Each structure stands twice: as structure tokens, then as C-alpha cells.
Amino acid sequence: MASIQKQFEKFHDEIKLKRFDENATLREKRDIITNRIKEGLKKKFQNGEEGVPNVEFIDQGSYAVDLGINPDDGNYDIDEGAIFDLYIEDYEDPTEIKKWIRDIMDGHTVIPPIIKNPCVTITYSQNNEPIYHVDIPVYAKSKYDSKLYLAWGKEHSNDDNKYWEPADPIGLNEYINNRFTGDDKKQFKRIVRYMKKWKDICFKSSGNARPPSIGITIAAVEMFMPYTEYNQLSGKLEYVDLIALKNFVWKLKNSFISEWDSDREEYLYTIYLRLPVTPYKNIFSKMSKLQMTDFYYKLGDLYDALQKAEEDCDPHTACKLLANYFGNKFPIPEPKESRYQVNRSNAPSSSSA
Amino acid sequence: MKEKLKELLREKEYLSEITEDIEEGSFKLIFKLRNNYEIPLVITFDDFFPARLPKIRIDDTRLHIPNKPHILKNGTICYLDQEGIIWNNNPSIALDLVFERVENVLLDNNELVEYHREFNYYFATLNKLEYAVSLYASGSDIEEITVFTKRDHPFAFLKSDQESIKTLENLLERKITGQLHYKALFIPLDEPYNGPVPQQNEFWSAKEIESLIKNHVTPEKLKKVEAFSINKKNYYYLLEIPLLTGKKVTIGLWYKKVQSYSKRSNPIIQSDLQEKFEIYPIYIYRYDDCSLIERGGGIKSGCNVLIVGCGSVGSDILFLLARSGLKNFTIVDYDKLDIVNSYRHFLGMNKAIENKKKVMLLKEEIQKRYPSIRIQAYDKDILLLIKDEIINLRDYDLAIFAIGDPNIERWLNKLVLETETPAIFTWVEAYGLGGHALLVNNGDRGCYECLIDEKLNNYASFAGRSDKPYTKNINGCSGTFTPYGGLDSMETALLASRLALRVINNQVIGNPLVSWKGNSKEFEANGYETSPRYEQSLDYLQRDSFDYINFDCKYCYKGRNEDDN
């Protein structure tokens, strides 16, 4: 195996989504939105009896845990939780609070805000193309426990589909953030981003064919093991992302359960990975068995490719193979032939006696 | 010159920071590998670049020396196994070759296996290294064997039997009775060794050897090792170690007592006694048959070959087959080695002066070169030997007749067909016209008699019919000889030997005729004509041919009939 760690790291630099503190635009957009919501609430309630409801925002999703990648279509996704200091017992209809936000943000963007089941989505666009969107999940408290509850449901959903669901967005962030430290954590982040990029390249974006990012992240928290190796060239112990990734893919693939599908007459593979915080449901539950099976086989293909790349002594062919799985951002060193003109120069002869 | 080289280096985009080094013709530079690692190197040209490629080493003032195969401890990168490579003599392209190869070395990551592949090479660089031969064909169990020594230094490991001692004597060309010898212990490890290969000043410690033994043999074997406990000044061990490559390597160890200690011991597994012993690694040259034949690309065969006729063709066949690993020969020739023929004979002129029987000289020479070969030599006429039942063709796995006498050959053909033994007739034609080898009695039709037509022409022959004999006479009757050169007989011997090895390896079906042909110029210049067969291509002639088979032949026909029944 030739070390292609530098290629992996360059790839990582290419795909990594910088965080708020590094990415002024995203940070500004976030602050504009949160300020506008706060202002809007003040305006709406300042003359009311109950006063202005207090709201706090928390960064959520991949950027909160610094695991984001640059989206191919340029449509960045920001998750910003709005935690209201209100009691769910006072708001039987969870969409009521979501409507406040929708109404406050209405007119702020060309594309109007939409209430989706888990959040309110505000989409920014440029020349009629969405450039990023902000998802705002809405949480409230309970008089009876210390949990947070997510406001679930759309404006016109029937009552069965509107409810407060217990959630722990802070606990989830901590769970992901606190698993690794130092350079191990850096490798963990790189591995998650490689997997997310792979998922974007190798799965269709429609429906639930793509495994959810949070699934990949949680799987990595639970299954990833940092991998270092003494590198003879540099004389140092170095992180080897290729092997760490390969090991992780192997574990993830082996956590699938096979079951015989008598209608289809084939084995289907399913994965059950519980969310580590409230409400502890299967993170992959939105995927159908067939989609999970597809996920399983694609993990197998990825594993084989990583294995081949590991065995390959030529960094060109190794990286070329991996670029099929990680996309054209994966750097491919020049082939031997284009650097060295030797292919015509050395003819084997059998002149020995 | 210096500027030119510097310019040449500068042209390469993968090289940077090129500066002259103190040493003449040397430059320091940074080599950027295709995976973006940057390696500081020192490159040294001599005056003969690109005929001689530059030496390259790691610049150890800027980088540690990687512990990799083909990188020596002093940083030298052995990037080219020169054998069999012709490189472009355009300096720029030659330089590309150099750096391509250096990159190969640097990128190769399968370190341990590579080291194991070159185990003997690295082992041979050890300090305080002793050398010994081993005539011991390794078994799979612990065995007490014998080691011969010279002032305590070991020089030969062998089995403790007379046969082995005889082989060693043949090898040394002297008697070794009275030579000091001791017990040694042969230890074949069961589990592959997966550690680094010892080299230069890094040999295993007593402790490492102890754990090597203890962790790599079965408990039963370990008990046998433990039983080898004696009180001696010197302890000798022969170790067979399976490597990561799947191959096995044999090394020796010599524990020399340097402090007084008078108890029975077995220091190889008692590293607590390490103060009392100095340990010397022994590089083993293997002289046992298995390992030598493997190297010679030959075959291991207990088969018994009869070679009749030890002239220039027969003697070369004996030599070639011996080199291929055949061990048991019976050679027959009543002739003395004549000084006139000495140029084309394997034995050469110095032997011819001795005026001895060819078979005796050959036996002596071959057994000296290959001590484990057994040769029976008969300086009698083959027909008499068979008639007197001294030689029975049935005793052999293969008979080879290189007597160059068609009439005796026809006679022998009949005798062969009465047995189950396959035989090869081989002969060379005059004036370098060619040579032939015919296999007979290997099942199915085809024999020497099939070659001979009604007009007594030989089908195989490249010489057209002639009334003039092809023999030349330079000194009256006793000096009659067929004019051909040493190369022609050697070529024919090669042809026959290849056929013989194929027969022994069961790779031939039926009874093919194979031939080689040479230039006919001299032959024609002497007033002769070639046969129609000579016109066929060399390639065609070298292939197995069955065209000669005469289906009316009454000699091999009989055998066929019996087969059918």
C-alpha cells in the first residue's frame, strides 16, 4: 500500500463545510434570522397580557457538531433550534408556535417560509436558485418534567399528526461532541465527512434512498475507532484515514441484519440504530427495507474499493478507484507514465549465463 | 559536467531545492513523491552516467532513515536490480527511470514481507557472522545431527550417518576422519516468524531467540529441545524458520561459552545464562539435495538413467542431467579419452592427457562437482554388458544412447523394445548440419527402425544420399573422426537432455523425433547435398514430430498389437 493520507486530507479540505466562526456568511444569516424572530415576537406580544415569550436558539445539525460538508448543489442547510420558554400544556396545537415564526419570517425571503413536520423552513435564494435554507425546529418545555418537546406537524395536518414529541437536541450535540478528543476527534470528523460525501455521490437524492446524515454520524460515534500507523517515510506515527474508514465501513456493514423475504425470494438487509437520546427511535426508520438493502450492498462495494486501494502500491490507481466513490473532488496523483518517461527505456533482456 | 547534471536535475518537476553536495558529483535535493510526500535525497553521479546510474541515498541530515526493504541502514536506496534491464541512454530518460524506481522503493509499504523475501540477503550483513554448509535435508522434527568444526568454528552440518560423511568428503575432496565433530540440534519451527529480519549489528538477543523457539514450536517439540541438555564448551544449532513469504529459511547458531559454567545446559532456551555465552549467527549454504535442485530449476527424482556412449554428446548429456538434479547414473563407454577429441568433449584437454577411460574420468569429475550424485561406470562394450547380463535395460527408468553408430543403434532398438524402458537415441550430423533425438518405447508406435527406409536412408538425416563417407581422416585409420564441433555436440546434448527431462516428468506422449539444424554451408562446400528434410524450418524440426513413424514397421508394430489386446 502506498500512503494516500495526504490525498485524503486534501479531499477533506475540499469537502469540509466551515463552521459559523469560520464562515461569516452563514453566521450572518443565522444571526439575521434569530434576531428577526426575537424582534418579531417582541412586536407581536409586547402589548399582550402574557408578555413576550422568551426564546433561545441553539445550533443544531451537522454544523453544530462541525460535521458538515459542502453541498453539491450549493444549497446549504442550517439547523437552528428555537427553544421557547413556554409549556406544551398551554399549547395543545404545536403548530401554533411554528405559525408565529412562519408569519414573522414571511416577506423576508422571496420563497415564502414553509411549515414542515419537524421544523419551519426558510429558504434564501439568489436569481431564483435556493442558496441555503434554515430549518428551525421548535421546542417547548413541560410543566411536569425537564424534557424538551419538539413541535411536530404541519399547519393543516389532522390532529393525530400534530403532537409534541420529546427530544434532546442539546444531549445529542453533546453525545456527538464528547465522544472523541484531540486528533482522534479530527479523524472522526474526517471519516464522517467522507461517508457523507460518499452517500451524496452514490445514492439518489430523491425520497429516502439516501441514508440520513445523522445515521452516519451516530454510527460513527459508536463504531469508528481512530487508526494510526507508524509511517516509515516520515518516521512518525500518523493517522491513516483509509484504514480507519475501511474498518468503520466493515463494522457498519456487519451491523445489518439479514432476513429472508419470501415474496422477493432474496435476503433483505436491515439496520437498526437507536437514537442515543430521547426519543430513542431507529435513526434509519424512514428507509424501506429495499433501500436499506441497497445501502448494505453499497457499503460492501465501498469496502472492496477501500481494500483494493489499500493493496495498491501506486497512489494514482488507488486514488482513481476511490474517486469513483467519493467524487471528482478526490485528488488523483499523476500516473507514473506521465511523470516518468521510462516505459520505453528499459527492455528486459535475458543476457545472463 | 557538474552544471549539465544540475541542469538535468532542474528539468524534473518532481525535484526541488537542488544544491551541490560536498562530495564530487553529488547533489542534495527534495524528491516529491506522487502521493505528495517530500523526501530529501543525496544523488551521486560518476563519470559514466548514464551507462552507470547514480547512487541515491536518503539525506540523513534531514530525514531519519526509513526502515524499509531496499533501503540500507546507511540510507542507500537499492533501487535497481540491474540484471536484465537495458535502460535508455538518453540522460533525461535514464534519470526518470532512476526516480521511478526510487519511488517504487519508497512507496512500497509491505515492509515485513519484503524483508522476509530477502531474508538471506539481510542475514548475510550481520556482524560476527559465521559460515557453514548444511548437507542436512531438513525433516519436520527435532533431530540430533552432526556438526564438523575447525578450531570450534562450525563448517558443516549433516546427518549423523556414513552416507552423509561420504558426501561431505566428495565435496571437500578429502577424507574427514579425524576431523573434530560434535552434536548439533536441528530445530524446525512450526509457526511462521513474523518479526524483523536480523541485519548488520542487530542480531537477536538470547532472550529473543529463546522466545522464538518457545513460541514457534509445539509443546511436544519443545520437550525434545529441552531434552538436549549437555555440558560442553560450544553449542551448535541448525534452525529452520518458516517466513511470512511461506518459504523456509535455514540458519545456524553457535553458542560459545565465555564464562566458566559446568552444569548441563541448553543455552538456546536458557537466556538466563546469556552472560556465559557469546552467540554467533551462522549463514548456511545449503548443500542438501532438495534445496540445490530447487535452485537449479531441475527436478527431484530418484530415477536411474543409463547413458551409453560418453563421447562429446553423451558426456554433455550426463553433465546437463546432473545439473538438473538427477542423481543416479550408469555410464557405459569402452573408449579412452583421446586428446584429438578433447576440444569438443566435456572433460577437456587436461583430462585427455591422462589417457584414461572416459567413464572413469567422467565419474570422478561429476562426483567432485556434485558430491551427492552416484555414478556406476562401465568401460565395456554395451552389447557385451547386456549379453553377459551385467546390465539389464529393465533396471533403468530411461536409457540414452549417444553412440553415433546406426548399426549398433538398430540392434539396441530391438533390445529396448523387448523391455518396458523408454530410450532416447541421439546423434549429431557432420559439418554442423544438425542433430537429432528420438524417443522410443514410450508407448504407441514409432521406433529407431521406422527411420530406416528400404534403401537404408535415415529419415531424420539432413544429409542427402552420398557415396562418400562423412568421416575425415587426418592421421591414418586411427585418426578417423566425423567433422563436427563442440557447439554441435552440445546443441545435440541439450536437445536430448530436454527430451529426457520431459520423459522423466511424464510430459511426453508417444515417441517423438526432435531435431535442430545448423548451417549447411561447410557441408555443401565439401561437396555434399542436404536432404529434403533439411529444408523444413528450424521451428518445425524442433517440435515433436511423428511423421517418421512407419506403420508397416515390424518392430514397434508388435508392441502395438499386444497393447490392443
Side-chain angles (χ1 to χ4, degrees), chain A residues 128-174:
Chain A
N128 293 326
E129 284 290 316
I131 50 167
Y132 62 92
H133 65 272
V134 182
D135 286 333
I136 304 173
V138 172
Y139 301 94
K141 298 170 180 172
S142 166
K143 290 173 179 168
Y144 306 108
D145 58 33
S146 56
K147 284 179 188 168
L148 286 182
Y149 289 84
L150 172 71
W152 186 271
K154 297 176 190 168
E155 187 174 7
H156 302 293
S157 301
N158 58 36
D159 287 354
D160 286 350
N161 291 326
K162 286 183 190 175
Y163 48 86
W164 290 101
E165 186 179 68
D168 186 5
I170 299 163
L172 184 62
N173 281 355
E174 284 172 356

Side-chain angles (χ1 to χ4, degrees), chain B residues 139-315:
Chain B
S140 56
D141 206 355
I142 307 288
E143 191 176 348
E144 269 192 31
I145 58 175
T146 300
V147 59
F148 279 82
T149 60
K150 213 182 223 170
R151 275 178 265 113
D152 290 345
H153 293 262
F155 76 83
F157 288 90
L158 58 162
K159 224 176 160 75
S160 312
D161 62 13
Q162 280 308 309
E163 181 83 353
S164 302
I165 288 172
K166 213 173 144 190
T167 306
L168 180 61
E169 286 180 340
N170 278 341
L171 183 71
L172 299 173
E173 294 183 56
R174 64 181 161 86
K175 293 281 174 201
I176 50 166
T177 40
Q179 187 90 41
L180 283 176
H181 59 277
Y182 300 101
K183 274 183 188 171
L185 193 64
F186 170 69
I187 309 173
L189 304 188
D190 300 300
E191 294 295 320
Y193 171 63
N194 58 8
V197 176
Q199 54 173 306
Q200 295 187 344
N201 55 359
E202 294 170 8
F203 190 53
W204 296 315
S205 65
K207 216 179 179 106
E208 284 169 325
I209 297 170
E210 179 178 6
S211 65
L212 174 70
I213 305 291
K214 289 187 169 168
N215 296 331
H216 292 81
V217 298
T218 60
E220 299 83 63
K221 270 193 188 171
L222 189 59
K223 270 188 195 149
K224 289 185 191 174
V225 176
E226 284 161 353
F228 184 80
S229 188
I230 44 179
N231 179 17
K232 290 271 184 197
K233 213 175 121 223
N234 296 291
Y235 294 77
Y236 304 95
Y237 302 93
L238 191 65
L239 259 58
E240 187 185 70
I241 308 173
L243 300 175
L244 290 177
T245 55
K247 296 234 159 83
K248 291 174 180 175
V249 68
T250 306
I251 62 155
L253 293 172
W254 171 23
Y255 283 67
K256 183 181 174 186
K257 205 180 272 180
V258 289
Q259 280 179 23
S260 65
Y261 182 76
S262 55
K263 287 183 190 155
R264 289 158 70 94
S265 66
N266 189 5
I268 196 169
I269 48 165
Q270 286 177 276
S271 61
D272 50 317
L273 299 177
Q274 59 177 307
E275 311 267 286
K276 318 224 176 286
F277 294 93
E278 252 171 41
I279 306 171
Y280 296 90
I282 310 167
Y283 186 93
I284 298 293
Y285 294 99
R286 291 184 64 177
Y287 262 84
D288 62 271
D289 291 313
C290 294
S291 58
L292 282 184
I293 292 161
E294 199 183 310
R295 290 185 67 120
I299 47 165
K300 192 190 171 192
S301 173
C303 82
N304 204 358
V305 177
L306 171 70
I307 298 177
V308 180
C310 294
S312 43
V313 178
S315 62

Side-chain angles (χ1 to χ4, degrees), chain B residues 138 140 218 238 281 300 322 439 447 498 517:
Chain B
S138 319
S140 56
T218 60
L238 191 65
K300 192 190 171 192
L439 178 63
C447 71
R498 280 192 198 283
K517 76 167 180 179

